Amino acid sequence: MPAILFVRITSGLDAQEFERRLLERRPRFRDVPGLLQKVYGRDSTTGDVCGIYFVESQEALDAFRETELARTIPAAYEAVEVRREVYEVLYSLRPDGRPYRSTAVAPRPRWCPS
């Protein structure tokens, strides 16, 4: 069954340095077996950053959590506090699509002219 890992990090790093480190490590996540998508977010009021991982199975999530990449997340971002939550996927709003269509450019609403 698919799983979601939510990780929230509070760090003493300034936003620019935190983002530099995120971008530096991001390509390594593309090689994680079973990781369907990872979404990065920032809380505009606290500056906390989150990663939301969409994983094909609990087994794939368990295997990822044992990797050097996963184990070094707190140190890489000089985390003061880390909160991890794991969820079993019950169902999705759009079962025919990926968990989240990415990336740098937000998708244009369908009602918006081209």
Side-chain angles (χ1 to χ4, degrees):
M1 176 159 295
I4 298 168
L5 170 63
F6 175 87
V7 179
R8 183 178 180 122
I9 295 175
T10 303
S11 171
L13 295 174
D14 66 59
Q16 190 173 19
E17 177 61 17
F18 200 106
E19 187 163 344
R20 185 192 70 73
R21 293 182 189 193
L22 282 175
L23 293 173
E24 179 181 276
R25 291 171 57 92
R26 187 172 67 176
R28 296 176 59 196
F29 286 93
R30 291 189 178 111
D31 297 329
V32 173
L35 180 60
L36 303 172
Q37 181 64 279
K38 180 179 178 191
V39 178
Y40 300 80
R42 181 184 313 274
D43 183 320
S44 61
T45 56
T46 65
D48 289 356
V49 176
C50 74
I52 306 168
Y53 302 72
F54 295 89
V55 186
E56 68 184 13
S57 67
Q58 183 62 50
E59 294 78 19
L61 177 56
D62 292 343
F64 165 66
R65 293 174 88 177
E66 295 300 318
T67 66
E68 178 269 341
L69 180 61
R71 287 192 316 267
T72 59
I73 289 171
Y77 304 114
E78 298 182 27
V80 175
E81 182 180 346
V82 178
R83 187 178 87 215
R84 293 176 190 88
E85 299 175 14
V86 176
Y87 300 92
E88 178 181 294
V89 174
L90 301 176
Y91 60 88
S92 63
L93 175 64
R94 295 184 177 87
D96 58 334
R98 284 254 161 150
Y100 184 83
R101 297 199 197 281
S102 180
T103 62
V105 179
R108 181 175 41 230
R110 286 190 171 149
W111 53 265
C112 214
S114 355

